C-alpha cells in the first residue's frame, strides 16, 4: 500500500490554494464541497473560480506567493505550472508539517486527491497512488453506476438512529447484526424507492421490537477459499467473509483472499502442514462451537473446497451435534483451478473420460492407495498433498502396470503468480523433482491430458513465468489460429 487512505475533516478549516486556473477551480470545488474556508493566491484568477470563492466568503490575494500565506493553514494545494514555485511550496510545507498537494506531481505531495464517489455520508475514495489516475477515474465511473444515489439517504437515516441503536444494544456485535438487517432488508428497499417516512417508521418499529439483552447462538460459515486467486471466490463466499466476526483460516488460504475478510474481524490461524498442526483438528472443532455459542458469526475459511480433502465433514458433524447452525459454501478445488491455469484439462474426448481425486496423505500417513484401480487408460489421476510421497506414488503406479512413459505434471502454487509446472513421465519425474525442488502446496496430475499443457497453457497462464521441464519442454506448441 503506497498511501494510507485518510479522510480529513475540513469543515470551517483554513486551506490555501495557490494557482487561479482551471485546475485550481476543480480543486476549489472539492474543498468547498467539504466545507473548507479557501484562501486563494494567484496573479490572475479564472472568472468561475473568482465567483466560487466570493460566494463562499473566501479570500483572494492577487499577488505573488509568499511563505507567510502558510500561517495557520491546515492544508495546502499548489495548482500551478511553475516548477520552481511548486518545489518551494512543497519544501515550505514540509518544514512546517502542513499536508501539501502539488497537482500532478506525486513526488511533491504528502497527500494525493483520490477519485471520489460521493454518497454522503458514504464517501468512497479510489487512488492509484498517482500512477494511473485515468484508471482510477474509470473505476469511479463503474462504482457511480453500481451504487444508487439513494445510498446517501440510507446513510443519513442510519445517522439519525445511531445513538438510539447504541443505547438499545449493549454489545458491538448486537449493533452490527441490527444494522446489517436494516441495510439488507425491507427498510433499505423503502429508502431506495424514495419512501423515506415509511423507512423511518419501519426502522423505529424494528428498534422497539428488538431484544438487546442476549446475543444468542451465532452461526458458522464453512467457506471454500479456492486455490489462491481471489478472483475465483464466489459472490456468496465474499458476502459471508464480509459479515463474519471471527475468522478461522488454514495454511492454504492466500494473503490476498484473507485481505477480503472484514477488517475488524478476529483472525485465528489454525493451519496445518505435514508433521506440524498449529491447532489439532479436535481443538478446531471445539473452537468453532465455542465462538458460535458466544454469539459470533464464525467464518471457517479453507483453501480449495471444504469437502474435498478439507475435513469439512468432520467439522460439520461437531457443529450439528452441538446444535450450532451453519452454512456451507463450496470453493473451486485445486484440481479444477490448477489444471485449468496450467492448461491441462481433466477430461478430453481423445485422452480421458474420467477423473479420480486422490489424497496422497492418509490419516495414518501410510500408503493405503489401491493402485490397481488407477492403471486403467483414458482416465486422469489427481493427487492432493502427494509431493512428499511422490516416489511412493510413482512406484505404486508402475508396479500396478502404468507404463513408464505415462505423462505426469507437478503444479506448485497453482493459480497464483508463483505458479510453476514441472512435466515429466513416471520414469523421469522423481529425478526431475529432486533437481527442480518444486515447492508445496503442489498438485500431481497423471495422464495423457498432460500432453495438452504446451498447447493450452500459452493461452491461460496467470503467472509471469512458468517453469516447465521434461519430455515436452522442447516441443513447439501446436496452436490453432483464426483470423477475422
Amino acid at each position: 500500500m503506497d498511501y494510507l487512505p485518510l479522510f480529513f475533516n475540513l469543515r470551517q478549516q483554513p486551506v490555501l490554494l495557490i494557482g487561479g486556473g482551471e485546475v485550481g477551480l476543480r480543486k476549489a470545488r472539492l474543498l468547498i464541497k467539504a466545507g473548507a474556508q479557501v484562501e486563494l493566491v494567484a496573479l490572475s484568477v479564472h472568472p468561475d473560480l473568482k465567483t466560487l470563492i466570493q460566494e463562499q466568503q473566501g479570500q483572494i490575494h492577487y499577488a505573488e506567493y509568499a511563505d507567510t500565506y502558510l500561517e495557520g493553514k491546515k492544508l495546502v494545494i499548489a495548482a500551478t505550472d511553475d516548477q520552481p514555485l511548486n518545489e518551494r511550496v512543497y519544501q515550505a510545507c514540509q518544514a512546517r508539517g502542513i499536508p501539501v498537494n502539488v497537482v500532478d506531481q506525486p513526488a511533491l505531495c504528502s497527500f494525493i486527491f483520490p477519485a471520489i464517489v460521493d454518497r454522503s455520508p458514504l464517501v468512497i475514495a479510489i487512488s492509484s497512488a498517482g500512477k494511473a489516475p485515468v484508471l482510477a477515474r474509470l473505476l469511479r465511473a463503474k462504482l457511480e453506476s453500481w451504487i444508487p444515489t439513494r445510498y446517501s439517504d440510507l446513510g443519513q437515516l442510519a445517522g439519525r438512529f445511531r445513538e438510539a441503536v447504541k443505547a438499545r444494544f449493549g454489545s458491538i456485535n448486537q449493533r452490527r447484526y441490527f444494522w446489517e438487517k436494516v441495510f439488507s432488508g425491507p427498510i433499505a428497499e423503502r429508502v431506495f424507492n424514495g419512501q423515506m417516512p415509511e423507512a423511518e417508521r419501519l426502522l423505529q418499529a424494528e428498534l422497539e421490537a428488538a431484544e438487546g439483552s442476549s446475543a444468542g447462538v451465532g452461526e458458522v460459515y464453512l467457506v471454500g477459499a479456492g486455490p489462491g486467486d481471489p478472483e475465483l471466490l464466489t459472490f456468496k463466499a465474499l458476502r459471508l467473509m464480509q459479515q463474519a466476526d471471527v475468522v478461522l483460516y488454514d495454511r492454504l488460504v492466500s494473503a490476498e483472499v484473507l485481505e477480503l475478510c472484514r477488517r475488524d474481524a478476529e483472525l485465528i490461524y489454525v493451519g496445518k502442514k505435514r508433521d506440524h498442526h498449529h491447532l489439532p483438528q479436535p481443538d478446531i472443532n471445539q473452537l468453532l462451537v465455542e465462538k458460535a455459542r458466544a454469539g459470533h458469526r464464525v467464518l471457517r475459511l479453507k483453501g480449495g473446497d471444504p469437502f474435498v480433502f478439507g475435513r469439512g465433514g468432520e467439522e460439520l458433524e461437531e457443529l450439528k451435534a452441538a446444535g450450532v447452525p451453519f452454512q456451507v459454501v463450496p470453493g473451486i478445488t485445486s484440481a479444477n483451478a490448477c489444471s485449468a491455469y496450467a492448461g491441462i484439462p481433466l477430461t478430453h474426448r481423445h485422452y480421458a473420460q474420467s477423473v479420480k481425486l486422490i489424497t496422497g496423505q492418509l490419516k495414518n500417513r501410510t500408503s493405503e492407495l489401491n493402485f490397481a484401480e488407477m492403471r486403467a487408460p483414458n482416465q486422469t489421476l489427481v493427487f492432493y498433498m502427494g509431493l512428499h510421497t511422490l516416489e511412493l506414488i510413482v512406484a505404486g503406479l508402475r508396479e500396478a502396470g502404468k507404463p513408464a512413459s505415462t505423462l505426469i505434471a507437478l503444479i506448485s502454487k497453482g493459480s497464483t503468480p508463483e505458479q510453476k509446472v514441472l512435466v515429466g513421465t513416471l520414469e523421469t519425474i522423481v529425478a526431475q523433482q529432486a533437481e527442480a525442488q518444486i515447492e508445496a502446496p503442489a498438485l500431481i496430475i497423471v495422464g495423457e491430458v498432460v500432453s495438452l499443457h504446451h498447447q493450452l497453457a500459452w493461452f491461460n497462464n496467470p503467472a509471469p513465468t512458468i517453469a516447465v521441464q521434461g519430455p515436452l519442454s522442447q516441443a513447439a506448441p501446436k496452436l490453432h489460429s483464426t483470423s477475422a
Side-chain angles (χ1 to χ4, degrees), residues 170-229:
S171 76
I172 294 176
N173 283 342
Q174 291 169 344
R175 295 195 290 272
R176 184 181 298 123
Y177 300 161
F178 177 83
W179 282 121
E180 287 177 352
K181 183 178 180 181
V182 168
F183 294 147
S184 60
I187 295 172
E189 290 301 320
R190 296 296 192 283
V191 173
F192 296 150
N193 289 329
Q195 301 170 302
M196 289 301 298
E198 177 66 10
E200 191 157 342
R201 186 192 67 78
L202 287 176
L203 180 51
Q204 183 63 49
E206 187 74 31
L207 184 59
E208 292 172 356
E211 295 183 6
S213 59
S214 174
V217 177
E219 188 174 16
V220 173
Y221 311 137
L222 184 61
V223 173
D229 185 345

Side-chain angles (χ1 to χ4, degrees), residues 325-346:
F326 57 82
Q327 297 185 47
V328 181
V329 181
I332 294 181
T333 188
S334 297
N336 295 122
C338 296
S339 62
Y341 277 56
I344 303 174
L346 295 179

Side-chain angles (χ1 to χ4, degrees), residues 16-17 24 42 75 119 158 181-182 208 229-230 243 245 289 321 341 349 374 419:
L16 181 65
L17 175 61
L75 205 71
R119 301 290 186 268
K181 183 178 180 181
V182 168
E208 292 172 356
D229 185 345
Q243 289 183 188
D245 313 306
V289 172
Y341 277 56
R349 184 173 62 174
M374 306 177 199
Q419 174 176 301

Side-chain angles (χ1 to χ4, degrees), residues 34-92:
Q37 293 180 332
V38 179
E39 187 173 337
L40 173 65
V41 177
L43 293 175
S44 61
V45 180
H46 190 286
D48 292 345
L49 177 56
K50 177 180 178 180
T51 301
L52 183 64
I53 298 293
Q54 290 176 339
E55 287 177 349
Q56 300 299 321
Q57 287 78 50
Q59 298 183 56
I60 300 177
H61 303 282
Y62 292 92
E64 296 277 1
Y65 164 81
D67 290 349
T68 54
Y69 288 117
L70 299 177
E71 296 302 321
K73 300 302 184 295
K74 301 297 183 183
L75 205 71
V76 174
I77 294 95
T80 83
D81 56 5
D82 186 333
Q83 185 64 20
L85 173 59
N86 290 337
E87 293 177 358
R88 176 184 166 192
V89 171
Y90 172 75
Q91 295 296 338

Side-chain angles (χ1 to χ4, degrees), residues 8-16 30-39 56-58 72-75:
F8 282 88
N9 182 359
L10 292 180
R11 195 159 299 280
Q12 300 302 313
Q13 297 298 313
V15 174
L16 181 65
L30 279 175
L31 294 169
I32 289 172
K33 194 172 184 180
Q37 293 180 332
V38 179
E39 187 173 337
Q56 300 299 321
Q57 287 78 50
K73 300 302 184 295
K74 301 297 183 183
L75 205 71

